[in-house]
């Protein structure tokens, strides 16, 4: 009993020490200055806290303001959003357009991204990359970037957020000087393209009458579904799933349901969505409203790639005009900004990104139509698929279905680039052949070039030789030849080009854009690119790699990456 007071005192002192240790917060604590800077960009904490799914939007605001993501701002953002710093870091480090910087290093005031996609490489992008740093000076960061969606203007580059087509060192130097002279708030602005149809003009031409009739139940939703199914319209982002059937499937799922629109358009050689968005955005928006109503979705999320800055400004303005004077009741519409990740073109990776996470594809099943955005049934569509909805309903499904050739049905918007006289978006009948497309729509081959080969479906779709230029271009027609049409991105090669170089360009692209989630894709694409640099290919090892990537990769990136390699082995063996 005599030792009891000492024991109690010792226990009390130990408790005080423990409390003092607990009071010292672990980890890096936010600086008051950094907190103030972050709050000025994202606003005060609302009741209930900041929405977790807005993390990428907030990262963009910080990255735009400070030309990078400094550690002090990431710590402050984590505190403001009440999420772990590790979670903020893992998202920020995933996307190419976020620059992670230590606090003592300022971000580059201006960055020039020179596209090194195949079409731009054919047009001299490599020489442009070599010369440009000497012309613009050390204050401007010059880097190579994967396809920026302007293949018809090759070589193309982004000066900050301003797109420059048919770029030369002199033209880019002028653009750099122009951006440096602009106030920060005015950088990245671009003029509207010729032929642009804004909200008022679209309404005056009868726009939104069909959407209003559907939303106000003046037009029967089942009739709309039957028309969509009769038209034969399939998903035009690459997968080709019948649009009407997708609407039915999602509409049968329990509410609440969402609509997610994919305008990431990162497939090398593809630029059709940008082309239509720059000229007629409300035709797409009307189709979007009709789909949302028929499938019974209560909110719409539009995911637009970060490289399309001018399109984002345009879409923000036109959405504001629509919401200020709506033709009918509108669902909640949110425009989300990508951050430079090709993998987010995959539907489940896009949904992860909209939720503010790393854009890593999900394992399926369940499919996004059942468990998609925020765990709810989700109707996912490509931009162009929705672009044709109004015309199909007003002109009749037979208008669309009756446009094909060679036994095929429908229209296709071909993004054509490479060695043709007139590259661009060519609206042509489904089933047209490559030879017909070049002769009838592209003004023939470019001077001095003869057809040697072509990529029918961008980076993923394989490579075919000139002797197979009379195959119908459509869904399901190219698979017997080891290829597919995908998003109908046609890149044409001439006799001075090599298919092996095109395949290597594509494999390097896949290695750069692999999300890294699965080993076959992450390691396989990098290893294949190294093997493909050899003068003579190790076909045995490449064949093994191809098989593992195709069989064991989680998503279409790794599964389709072997296609260009296999096509070179099959159709151009003399090159390797």
């Amino acid at each position: 009993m005599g030792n009891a007071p000492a024991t109690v005192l010792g226990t009390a002192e130990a408790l005080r020490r423990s409390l003092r240790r607990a009071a010292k917060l672990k980890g890096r604590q936010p600086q008051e200055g950094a907190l103030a800077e972050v709050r000025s960009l994202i606003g005060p904490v609302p009741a209930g806290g900041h929405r977790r799914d807005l993390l990428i939007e907030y990262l963009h605001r910080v990255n735009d303001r400070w030309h990078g993501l400094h550690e002090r701002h990431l710590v402050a953002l984590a505190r403001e959003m009440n999420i772990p710093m590790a979670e903020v870091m893992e998202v920020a480090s995933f996307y190419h357009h976020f620059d992670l910087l230590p606090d003592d290093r300022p971000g580059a005031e201006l960055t020039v991204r020179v596209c090194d996609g195949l079409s731009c490489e054919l047009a001299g992008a490599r020489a442009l990359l070599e010369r440009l740093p000497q012309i613009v000076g050390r204050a401007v960061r010059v880097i190579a970037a994967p396809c920026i969606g302007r293949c018809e203007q090759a070589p193309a580059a982004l000066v900050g957020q301003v797109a420059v087509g048919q770029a030369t060192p002199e033209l880019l130097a002028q653009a750099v000087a122009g951006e440096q002279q602009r106030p920060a708030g005015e950088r990245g602005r671009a003029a509207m393209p010729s032929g642009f149809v804004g909200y008022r003009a679209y309404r005056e031409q009868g726009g939104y009458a069909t959407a209003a009739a559907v939303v106000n139940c003046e037009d029967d939703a089942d009739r709309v579904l039957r028309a969509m199914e009769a038209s034969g319209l399939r998903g035009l982002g690459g997968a080709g799933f019948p649009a009407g059937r997708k609407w039915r499937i999602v509409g049968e799922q329990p509410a609440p349901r969402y609509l997610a629109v994919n305008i990431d358009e990162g497939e090398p050689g593809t630029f059709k969505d940008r082309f239509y968005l720059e000229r007629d955005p409300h035709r797409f928006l009307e189709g979007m409203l009709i789909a949302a109503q028929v499938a019974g979705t209560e909110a719409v999320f539009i995911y637009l790639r970060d490289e399309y800055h001018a399109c984002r400004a345009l879409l923000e303005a036109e959405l504001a005009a629509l919401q200020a004077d709506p033709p009918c009741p509108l669902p909640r519409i949110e425009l989300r900004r990508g951050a430079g990740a090709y993998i987010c073109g995959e539907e489940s990776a896009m949904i992860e990104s909209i939720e503010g996470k790393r854009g890593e594809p999900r394992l399926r099943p369940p499919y996004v139509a059942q468990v998609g955005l925020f765990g709810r049934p989700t109707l996912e569509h490509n931009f162009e698929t929705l672009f044709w909805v109004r015309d199909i309903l007003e002109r009749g499904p037979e208008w669309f279905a009756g446009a094909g050739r060679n036994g095929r049905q429908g229209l296709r918007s071909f993004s054509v680039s490479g060695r043709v006289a007139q590259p661009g978006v060519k609206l042509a009948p489904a089933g047209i052949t490559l030879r017909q497309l070049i002769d009838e729509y592209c003004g023939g081959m470019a001077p001095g070039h003869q057809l040697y080969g072509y990529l029918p479906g961008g980076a993923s779709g394989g490579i075919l030789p000139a002797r197979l230029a009379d195959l119908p271009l459509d869904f399901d027609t190219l698979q017997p030849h080891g290829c597919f049409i995908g998003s109908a991105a046609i890149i044409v090669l001439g006799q001075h080009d090599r298919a092996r170089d095109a395949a290597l360009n594509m494999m390097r692209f896949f290695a750069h854009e692999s999300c890294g989630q699965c080993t076959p894709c992450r390691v396989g694409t990098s290893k294949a690119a190294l093997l493909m640099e050899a003068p003579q290919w190790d076909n045995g090892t490449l064949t093994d790699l191809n098989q593992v990537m195709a069989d064991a990769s989680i998503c279409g990136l790794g599964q389709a990456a072997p296609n260009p390699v296999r096509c070179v082995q099959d159709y151009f063996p003399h090159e390797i």
Side-chain angles (χ1 to χ4, degrees), residues 37-188:
E37 289 166 346
V38 167
R39 287 168 184 159
S40 70
L41 296 171
I42 70 172
V45 179
H50 286 289
R51 288 168 51 184
R52 172 61 183 79
D53 60 293
L54 293 177
L55 174 58
I56 293 174
E57 299 298 308
Y58 291 164
L59 287 170
H60 271 302
R61 295 182 192 180
V62 177
N63 196 75
D64 290 347
R65 169 63 182 83
W66 297 98
H67 309 290
L69 298 174
H70 293 91
E71 291 179 22
R72 66 182 185 275
H73 292 134
L74 295 179
V75 173
L77 183 60
R79 166 65 68 84
E80 288 297 285
M81 296 192 71
N82 195 30
I83 57 179
M85 172 62 177
E87 199 169 315
V88 174
M89 182 62 76
E90 74 172 9
V91 173
S93 62
F94 181 84
Y95 296 92
H96 298 313
H97 289 188
F98 293 144
D99 295 321
L100 300 178
L101 301 170
D103 286 340
D104 59 356
R105 190 174 121 205
E109 285 292 322
L110 188 62
T111 297
V112 178
R113 289 182 166 86
V114 179
C115 177
D116 65 358
L118 178 57
S119 299
C120 288
E121 185 176 282
L122 294 175
R126 195 172 301 173
L128 193 60
L129 271 166
E130 292 173 358
R131 288 190 56 196
L132 195 58
Q134 304 166 8
I135 295 175
V136 298
R138 294 183 179 180
V140 177
R141 183 176 64 156
V142 178
I143 60 174
C147 183
I148 63 173
R150 294 185 177 271
C151 315
E152 85 282 22
Q153 302 169 20
L158 289 171
V159 177
Q161 294 180 322
V162 173
V164 179
Q166 283 88 42
T168 63
E170 295 73 23
L171 193 59
L172 288 174
Q174 293 174 15
V176 165
E179 282 299 284
Q180 289 174 328
Q181 293 170 8
R182 288 193 197 189
E186 296 181 5
R187 289 185 179 181

Side-chain angles (χ1 to χ4, degrees), residues 286-305:
E286 181 165 11
M288 180 187 79
L289 294 180
I290 294 170
Q293 174 67 22
V294 173
T297 61
E298 67 176 37
V300 179
F301 294 82
I302 304 172
Y303 189 86
L304 179 66
R305 72 180 307 199

Side-chain angles (χ1 to χ4, degrees), residues 17 37 39 116 122 150 178 240 246 337 343 363 445 450 458 548 570:
R17 289 176 182 174
E37 289 166 346
R39 287 168 184 159
D116 65 358
L122 294 175
R150 294 185 177 271
K246 185 183 286 191
R337 180 178 173 186
I343 191 63
L363 290 171
M445 294 291 292
Q450 299 173 5
V548 172
D570 291 343

